[in-house]
Amino acid sequence: MVEAGMETSQSNDPCTSPSSSVVDAAACDLVTVPARQGLEAVDILRRGVGDAMGPVLHDGGCATLGFLVPAGTAACWDVPGSTCTETDGRGLELNPEPPVEGSDWLLPPGEADLATDPVVLRRALGEAARLIEAADSCT
């Protein structure tokens, strides 16, 4: 069984991701997920061939992970168990210091692309939820 807050959509027709190959770092949105699912998704994304991953934040208590995605993603993000916050150009400063007090970079800027493709992230979160469900049903 999937833990509360860990379900993901299986839609193969997600909202079209912003199609610019250059992402303005000051205009990224932030997808937040439970840490367990987020860490699984990070592993899946790192194993993917050619799947780029942007910076990833974790909160101070390590309860959630946040993936930077292109601006505009929040308008059509519908993955259950996650939230996508629109920055509306207020700007996430992509420098070594985390943009939110009490957080830290799991994958800092400079070691990652500017943003994670939301379509790729949606697939990784779905796979992560299925892996966690399978692992939990074996115990």
Side-chain angles (χ1 to χ4, degrees):
M1 177 178 323
V2 175
E3 290 180 30
M6 293 181 53
E7 297 175 22
T8 61
S9 170
Q10 298 300 314
S11 171
N12 289 327
D13 186 30
C15 181
T16 304
S17 67
S19 59
S20 173
S21 60
V22 176
V23 177
D24 178 5
C28 287
D29 291 347
L30 183 70
V31 172
T32 307
V33 297
R36 186 174 178 201
Q37 184 180 15
L39 290 170
E40 286 288 345
V42 166
D43 286 344
I44 291 163
L45 290 168
R46 284 188 169 170
R47 289 191 315 257
V49 177
D51 290 343
M53 184 170 40
V56 179
L57 284 166
H58 66 82
D59 65 357
C62 294
T64 62
L65 288 185
F67 294 84
L68 293 182
V69 293
T73 301
C76 58
W77 189 257
D78 64 351
V79 177
S82 68
T83 59
C84 188
T85 306
E86 182 178 342
T87 63
D88 197 27
R90 291 182 298 248
L92 290 171
E93 296 294 323
L94 291 186
N95 58 47
E97 295 301 315
V100 179
E101 188 175 326
S103 67
D104 202 359
W105 294 110
L106 178 67
L107 184 58
E111 294 180 22
D113 285 349
L114 289 178
T116 300
D117 181 329
V119 173
V120 172
L121 179 58
R122 178 186 303 273
R123 268 194 308 259
L125 290 172
E127 185 177 341
R130 290 186 297 279
L131 288 170
I132 290 167
E133 181 179 7
D136 287 353
S137 68
C138 292
T139 58

